mmCIF file of all heavy atoms in Angstrom:
data_model
loop_
_atom_site.group_PDB
_atom_site.id
_atom_site.type_symbol
_atom_site.label_atom_id
_atom_site.label_comp_id
_atom_site.label_asym_id
_atom_site.label_seq_id
_atom_site.Cartn_x
_atom_site.Cartn_y
_atom_site.Cartn_z
ATOM 1 N N THR D 17 85.330 74.510 100.911
ATOM 2 C CA THR D 17 85.664 73.091 100.718
ATOM 3 C C THR D 17 84.938 72.175 101.699
ATOM 4 O O THR D 17 84.925 70.962 101.502
ATOM 5 C CB THR D 17 87.173 72.874 100.884
ATOM 6 O OG1 THR D 17 87.550 73.186 102.241
ATOM 7 C CG2 THR D 17 87.965 73.771 99.939
ATOM 8 N N ARG D 18 84.360 72.761 102.748
ATOM 9 C CA ARG D 18 83.732 71.970 103.817
ATOM 10 C C ARG D 18 84.691 70.924 104.372
ATOM 11 O O ARG D 18 84.305 69.841 104.779
ATOM 12 C CB ARG D 18 82.438 71.312 103.321
ATOM 13 C CG ARG D 18 81.398 72.299 102.854
ATOM 14 C CD ARG D 18 80.092 71.614 102.518
ATOM 15 N NE ARG D 18 79.116 72.568 102.016
ATOM 16 C CZ ARG D 18 78.380 73.361 102.770
ATOM 17 N NH1 ARG D 18 78.526 73.303 104.078
ATOM 18 N NH2 ARG D 18 77.522 74.197 102.251
ATOM 19 N N ASP D 19 85.973 71.301 104.323
ATOM 20 C CA ASP D 19 87.027 70.399 104.800
ATOM 21 C C ASP D 19 87.907 71.169 105.765
ATOM 22 O O ASP D 19 88.589 72.121 105.376
ATOM 23 C CB ASP D 19 87.851 69.880 103.621
ATOM 24 C CG ASP D 19 88.955 68.917 104.065
ATOM 25 O OD1 ASP D 19 89.020 68.595 105.270
ATOM 26 O OD2 ASP D 19 89.741 68.498 103.201
ATOM 27 N N ALA D 20 87.884 70.776 107.025
ATOM 28 C CA ALA D 20 88.649 71.492 108.047
ATOM 29 C C ALA D 20 90.141 71.427 107.780
ATOM 30 O O ALA D 20 90.911 72.236 108.292
ATOM 31 C CB ALA D 20 88.340 70.928 109.429
ATOM 32 N N LYS D 21 90.559 70.441 106.953
ATOM 33 C CA LYS D 21 91.988 70.276 106.686
ATOM 34 C C LYS D 21 92.481 71.134 105.531
ATOM 35 O O LYS D 21 93.685 71.233 105.312
ATOM 36 C CB LYS D 21 92.294 68.810 106.382
ATOM 37 C CG LYS D 21 92.030 67.862 107.549
ATOM 38 C CD LYS D 21 92.392 66.433 107.163
ATOM 39 C CE LYS D 21 92.161 65.482 108.326
ATOM 40 N NZ LYS D 21 92.519 64.084 107.962
ATOM 41 N N SER D 22 91.585 71.728 104.773
ATOM 42 C CA SER D 22 91.985 72.477 103.588
ATOM 43 C C SER D 22 92.832 73.694 103.955
ATOM 44 O O SER D 22 92.530 74.420 104.916
ATOM 45 C CB SER D 22 90.747 72.943 102.820
ATOM 46 O OG SER D 22 91.125 73.762 101.734
ATOM 47 N N LEU D 23 93.892 73.914 103.187
ATOM 48 C CA LEU D 23 94.796 75.043 103.435
ATOM 49 C C LEU D 23 94.978 75.906 102.186
ATOM 50 O O LEU D 23 95.877 76.736 102.142
ATOM 51 C CB LEU D 23 96.165 74.513 103.886
ATOM 52 C CG LEU D 23 96.215 73.818 105.239
ATOM 53 C CD1 LEU D 23 97.482 72.981 105.358
ATOM 54 C CD2 LEU D 23 96.162 74.836 106.370
ATOM 55 N N VAL D 24 94.120 75.719 101.198
ATOM 56 C CA VAL D 24 94.307 76.393 99.909
ATOM 57 C C VAL D 24 94.330 77.907 100.067
ATOM 58 O O VAL D 24 95.252 78.592 99.599
ATOM 59 C CB VAL D 24 93.203 75.969 98.914
ATOM 60 C CG1 VAL D 24 93.323 76.790 97.623
ATOM 61 C CG2 VAL D 24 93.301 74.488 98.610
ATOM 62 N N CYS D 25 93.334 78.460 100.705
ATOM 63 C CA CYS D 25 93.259 79.920 100.846
ATOM 64 C C CYS D 25 94.346 80.452 101.774
ATOM 65 O O CYS D 25 94.945 81.491 101.515
ATOM 66 C CB CYS D 25 91.877 80.324 101.360
ATOM 67 S SG CYS D 25 90.555 80.024 100.168
ATOM 68 N N ARG D 26 94.608 79.746 102.862
ATOM 69 C CA ARG D 26 95.655 80.198 103.786
ATOM 70 C C ARG D 26 97.031 80.162 103.124
ATOM 71 O O ARG D 26 97.834 81.083 103.295
ATOM 72 C CB ARG D 26 95.639 79.330 105.047
ATOM 73 C CG ARG D 26 94.632 79.782 106.083
ATOM 74 C CD ARG D 26 94.461 78.780 107.187
ATOM 75 N NE ARG D 26 93.660 77.633 106.735
ATOM 76 C CZ ARG D 26 93.295 76.628 107.517
ATOM 77 N NH1 ARG D 26 93.678 76.606 108.786
ATOM 78 N NH2 ARG D 26 92.557 75.646 107.043
ATOM 79 N N ASN D 27 97.304 79.123 102.361
ATOM 80 C CA ASN D 27 98.579 79.073 101.645
ATOM 81 C C ASN D 27 98.676 80.187 100.617
ATOM 82 O O ASN D 27 99.750 80.749 100.403
ATOM 83 C CB ASN D 27 98.745 77.709 100.963
ATOM 84 C CG ASN D 27 99.107 76.608 101.942
ATOM 85 O OD1 ASN D 27 99.422 76.871 103.102
ATOM 86 N ND2 ASN D 27 99.054 75.367 101.494
ATOM 87 N N SER D 28 97.566 80.516 99.973
ATOM 88 C CA SER D 28 97.561 81.604 98.992
ATOM 89 C C SER D 28 97.859 82.940 99.659
ATOM 90 O O SER D 28 98.626 83.753 99.143
ATOM 91 C CB SER D 28 96.210 81.659 98.267
ATOM 92 O OG SER D 28 95.979 80.477 97.532
ATOM 93 N N VAL D 29 97.256 83.156 100.814
ATOM 94 C CA VAL D 29 97.540 84.393 101.565
ATOM 95 C C VAL D 29 99.010 84.459 101.956
ATOM 96 O O VAL D 29 99.651 85.507 101.850
ATOM 97 C CB VAL D 29 96.636 84.473 102.816
ATOM 98 C CG1 VAL D 29 97.132 85.560 103.777
ATOM 99 C CG2 VAL D 29 95.202 84.746 102.409
ATOM 100 N N LEU D 30 99.553 83.326 102.393
ATOM 101 C CA LEU D 30 100.961 83.284 102.790
ATOM 102 C C LEU D 30 101.869 83.597 101.607
ATOM 103 O O LEU D 30 102.842 84.347 101.749
ATOM 104 C CB LEU D 30 101.290 81.910 103.376
ATOM 105 C CG LEU D 30 102.729 81.668 103.837
ATOM 106 C CD1 LEU D 30 103.187 82.750 104.807
ATOM 107 C CD2 LEU D 30 102.864 80.286 104.468
ATOM 108 N N VAL D 31 101.567 83.065 100.439
ATOM 109 C CA VAL D 31 102.379 83.347 99.255
ATOM 110 C C VAL D 31 102.291 84.817 98.872
ATOM 111 O O VAL D 31 103.315 85.469 98.610
ATOM 112 C CB VAL D 31 101.938 82.456 98.071
ATOM 113 C CG1 VAL D 31 102.591 82.930 96.775
ATOM 114 C CG2 VAL D 31 102.302 81.002 98.324
ATOM 115 N N VAL D 32 101.083 85.364 98.837
ATOM 116 C CA VAL D 32 100.909 86.769 98.437
ATOM 117 C C VAL D 32 101.646 87.696 99.396
ATOM 118 O O VAL D 32 102.359 88.613 98.970
ATOM 119 C CB VAL D 32 99.403 87.119 98.378
ATOM 120 C CG1 VAL D 32 99.220 88.627 98.204
ATOM 121 C CG2 VAL D 32 98.730 86.380 97.222
ATOM 122 N N PHE D 33 101.502 87.471 100.686
ATOM 123 C CA PHE D 33 102.189 88.324 101.657
ATOM 124 C C PHE D 33 103.699 88.136 101.587
ATOM 125 O O PHE D 33 104.460 89.083 101.807
ATOM 126 C CB PHE D 33 101.673 88.054 103.072
ATOM 127 C CG PHE D 33 100.499 88.898 103.456
ATOM 128 C CD1 PHE D 33 99.213 88.549 103.051
ATOM 129 C CD2 PHE D 33 100.664 90.054 104.196
ATOM 130 C CE1 PHE D 33 98.126 89.337 103.389
ATOM 131 C CE2 PHE D 33 99.583 90.848 104.541
ATOM 132 C CZ PHE D 33 98.301 90.492 104.131
ATOM 133 N N SER D 34 104.144 86.933 101.274
ATOM 134 C CA SER D 34 105.587 86.694 101.130
ATOM 135 C C SER D 34 106.148 87.473 99.944
ATOM 136 O O SER D 34 107.229 88.060 100.031
ATOM 137 C CB SER D 34 105.854 85.189 100.946
ATOM 138 O OG SER D 34 105.488 84.463 102.098
ATOM 139 N N LEU D 35 105.412 87.500 98.851
ATOM 140 C CA LEU D 35 105.861 88.256 97.682
ATOM 141 C C LEU D 35 105.850 89.749 97.954
ATOM 142 O O LEU D 35 106.758 90.480 97.534
ATOM 143 C CB LEU D 35 104.978 87.919 96.476
ATOM 144 C CG LEU D 35 105.054 86.466 95.978
ATOM 145 C CD1 LEU D 35 104.098 86.252 94.810
ATOM 146 C CD2 LEU D 35 106.478 86.100 95.566
ATOM 147 N N VAL D 36 104.842 90.213 98.658
ATOM 148 C CA VAL D 36 104.800 91.635 99.038
ATOM 149 C C VAL D 36 105.971 91.972 99.951
ATOM 150 O O VAL D 36 106.629 93.005 99.798
ATOM 151 C CB VAL D 36 103.458 91.973 99.727
ATOM 152 C CG1 VAL D 36 103.505 93.373 100.335
ATOM 153 C CG2 VAL D 36 102.312 91.862 98.732
ATOM 154 N N PHE D 37 106.233 91.087 100.916
ATOM 155 C CA PHE D 37 107.340 91.283 101.852
ATOM 156 C C PHE D 37 108.662 91.417 101.104
ATOM 157 O O PHE D 37 109.465 92.311 101.375
ATOM 158 C CB PHE D 37 107.387 90.094 102.819
ATOM 159 C CG PHE D 37 108.546 90.102 103.769
ATOM 160 C CD1 PHE D 37 108.498 90.840 104.937
ATOM 161 C CD2 PHE D 37 109.699 89.362 103.512
ATOM 162 C CE1 PHE D 37 109.572 90.843 105.831
ATOM 163 C CE2 PHE D 37 110.761 89.355 104.388
ATOM 164 C CZ PHE D 37 110.701 90.099 105.551
ATOM 165 N N TYR D 38 108.904 90.517 100.138
ATOM 166 C CA TYR D 38 110.162 90.557 99.389
ATOM 167 C C TYR D 38 110.197 91.753 98.449
ATOM 168 O O TYR D 38 111.215 92.443 98.344
ATOM 169 C CB TYR D 38 110.332 89.260 98.593
ATOM 170 C CG TYR D 38 111.725 89.098 98.023
ATOM 171 C CD1 TYR D 38 112.774 88.700 98.846
ATOM 172 C CD2 TYR D 38 111.996 89.341 96.686
ATOM 173 C CE1 TYR D 38 114.058 88.547 98.342
ATOM 174 C CE2 TYR D 38 113.279 89.197 96.175
ATOM 175 C CZ TYR D 38 114.304 88.802 97.004
ATOM 176 O OH TYR D 38 115.577 88.668 96.511
ATOM 177 N N ALA D 39 109.082 92.021 97.773
ATOM 178 C CA ALA D 39 109.042 93.123 96.807
ATOM 179 C C ALA D 39 109.139 94.484 97.487
ATOM 180 O O ALA D 39 109.489 95.478 96.836
ATOM 181 C CB ALA D 39 107.765 93.048 95.978
ATOM 182 N N TRP D 40 108.865 94.538 98.781
ATOM 183 C CA TRP D 40 108.918 95.814 99.510
ATOM 184 C C TRP D 40 110.312 96.439 99.412
ATOM 185 O O TRP D 40 110.456 97.642 99.268
ATOM 186 C CB TRP D 40 108.540 95.587 100.964
ATOM 187 C CG TRP D 40 108.250 96.846 101.725
ATOM 188 C CD1 TRP D 40 109.123 97.577 102.479
ATOM 189 C CD2 TRP D 40 106.992 97.514 101.793
ATOM 190 N NE1 TRP D 40 108.503 98.665 103.021
ATOM 191 C CE2 TRP D 40 107.182 98.657 102.617
ATOM 192 C CE3 TRP D 40 105.738 97.278 101.248
ATOM 193 C CZ2 TRP D 40 106.143 99.541 102.906
ATOM 194 C CZ3 TRP D 40 104.703 98.151 101.539
ATOM 195 C CH2 TRP D 40 104.914 99.264 102.352
ATOM 196 N N GLY D 41 111.331 95.616 99.471
ATOM 197 C CA GLY D 41 112.694 96.137 99.365
ATOM 198 C C GLY D 41 113.352 95.786 98.050
ATOM 199 O O GLY D 41 114.353 96.384 97.668
ATOM 200 N N GLU D 42 112.812 94.783 97.336
ATOM 201 C CA GLU D 42 113.411 94.302 96.085
ATOM 202 C C GLU D 42 112.323 94.153 95.012
ATOM 203 O O GLU D 42 112.015 93.051 94.566
ATOM 204 C CB GLU D 42 114.083 92.950 96.314
ATOM 205 C CG GLU D 42 115.189 92.974 97.340
ATOM 206 C CD GLU D 42 116.495 93.491 96.757
ATOM 207 O OE1 GLU D 42 116.653 93.480 95.528
ATOM 208 O OE2 GLU D 42 117.357 93.909 97.542
ATOM 209 N N PRO D 43 111.698 95.256 94.560
ATOM 210 C CA PRO D 43 110.570 95.132 93.615
ATOM 211 C C PRO D 43 110.937 94.489 92.291
ATOM 212 O O PRO D 43 110.103 93.843 91.664
ATOM 213 C CB PRO D 43 110.116 96.586 93.419
ATOM 214 C CG PRO D 43 111.279 97.423 93.847
ATOM 215 C CD PRO D 43 111.983 96.656 94.913
#
C-alpha cells in the first residue's frame, strides 16, 4: 500500500490467529 498507516495484512493475521486460537478447543 506504500502507506505506513495501513493495517490490512496485520488485521488479517490477527483474525486468522484468533480463529485458530478459538478452534483449537472449539472446532
Side-chain angles (χ1 to χ4, degrees):
T17 64
R18 300 186 182 279
D19 181 4
K21 296 181 179 180
S22 175
L23 293 162
V24 174
C25 292
R26 276 170 284 183
N27 284 350
S28 297
V29 167
L30 179 53
V31 169
V32 170
F33 271 81
S34 295
L35 295 178
V36 170
F37 175 83
Y38 192 77
W40 193 267
E42 300 279 340

